Amino acid sequence: MEDSINDYVFIDGVHLLKDKLLVMAKKVGIPNVAEHYLYFLTHHAFMYKMNDLMEEVSEIRDQYQFAPIPNPKPAPGSDKYNSNYTPLFESRDEKARKAYKKMSLDEKIEVLRISLQLLRLKNKLLFPKQNCWIGIYLVVRDRLDSILKPKDFYEIFAKNCMPSDWPEKLKITDSTLSTLSRYIKAEDREFVYYEMEENPFKDLCNEFWKKLSDIILTKD
């Protein structure tokens, strides 16, 4: 039997089968990534009044020991498919993305600089080589600015957000991001970093996003 439109969940600009997204949420094993998936599954369940899906989401939330989400009322007309549907609640990641988009360029550079300082201060072992800038780029591109190109990241952000005490051997150069294809397999390059089958910078990406999103959401 063919899939109906309400079997697809609109997430990060693409449509994914809800069953596939459920499996991803169950197996990803990283709480903040699972929460990202569950956010979209939850408002999809409310949108189409899918009690069975809501039960599955609740089970996965229990798996990660997340607090229960109160059941908001569906928006008027939410029983019909609408790609412009605005959810009644936002995930932490979405709030950070929206706050970042409202920032000036100087503010964006500042939050990146502070996040890098915290990373070096508390998680120095996650950034042992210059090529780790690839992980930083993936986070900014996949979480905050989907059209950001490596060259623009280097010229506009990376050169300006490096802390003054950044180790010389770890400083980014104009060729650092050109090595991305050596580390990210071709079959993974079409995915955002947290959906890649193999991301060699996985731990770095997860920790950097945690710090970066914290800074963005607490910035005055």
Side-chain angles (χ1 to χ4, degrees), residues 59-71:
E59 290 178 3
I60 300 174
R61 291 188 67 82
D62 288 342
Q63 172 188 327
Y64 289 96
Q65 299 183 330
F66 293 150
I69 293 181
N71 293 349

Side-chain angles (χ1 to χ4, degrees), residues 31-157:
N32 64 320
V33 178
E35 185 178 29
H36 180 69
Y37 298 151
L38 292 173
Y39 156 68
F40 288 96
L41 285 163
T42 302
H43 85 68
H44 185 80
F46 286 128
M47 187 176 181
Y48 293 105
K49 302 177 182 177
M50 303 171 72
N51 292 331
D52 55 340
L53 175 57
M54 199 65 234
E55 290 177 3
E56 292 183 86
V57 169
S58 295
E59 290 178 3
I60 300 174
R61 291 188 67 82
D62 288 342
Q63 172 188 327
Y64 289 96
Q65 299 183 330
F66 293 150
I69 293 181
N71 293 349
K73 294 180 181 179
S78 61
D79 55 331
K80 296 180 181 180
Y81 175 73
N82 179 4
S83 62
N84 294 317
Y85 171 72
T86 300
L88 298 178
F89 55 90
E90 292 181 322
S91 71
R92 186 176 183 281
D93 293 341
E94 185 61 28
K95 288 179 181 178
R97 179 162 42 245
K98 286 187 175 182
Y100 178 85
K101 288 183 179 297
K102 294 178 181 179
M103 291 180 178
S104 66
L105 177 58
D106 286 343
E107 288 174 325
K108 292 176 180 178
I109 290 172
E110 179 186 5
V111 296
L112 288 170
R113 182 187 298 114
I114 295 172
S115 301
L116 285 167
Q117 287 174 327
L118 288 174
L119 184 72
R120 281 283 299 164
L121 180 65
K122 298 183 178 181
N123 307 89
K124 185 180 296 186
L125 295 179
L126 290 179
F127 204 119
K129 298 181 180 180
Q130 186 190 78
N131 60 27
C132 289
W133 278 101
I134 294 172
I136 303 301
Y137 165 67
L138 292 175
V139 170
V140 178
R141 183 197 68 183
D142 295 341
R143 291 294 191 182
L144 302 171
D145 187 350
S146 61
I147 63 173
L148 184 64
K149 302 300 182 186
K151 181 179 179 181
D152 292 333
F153 173 75
Y154 168 70
E155 293 289 345
I156 299 172
F157 294 103

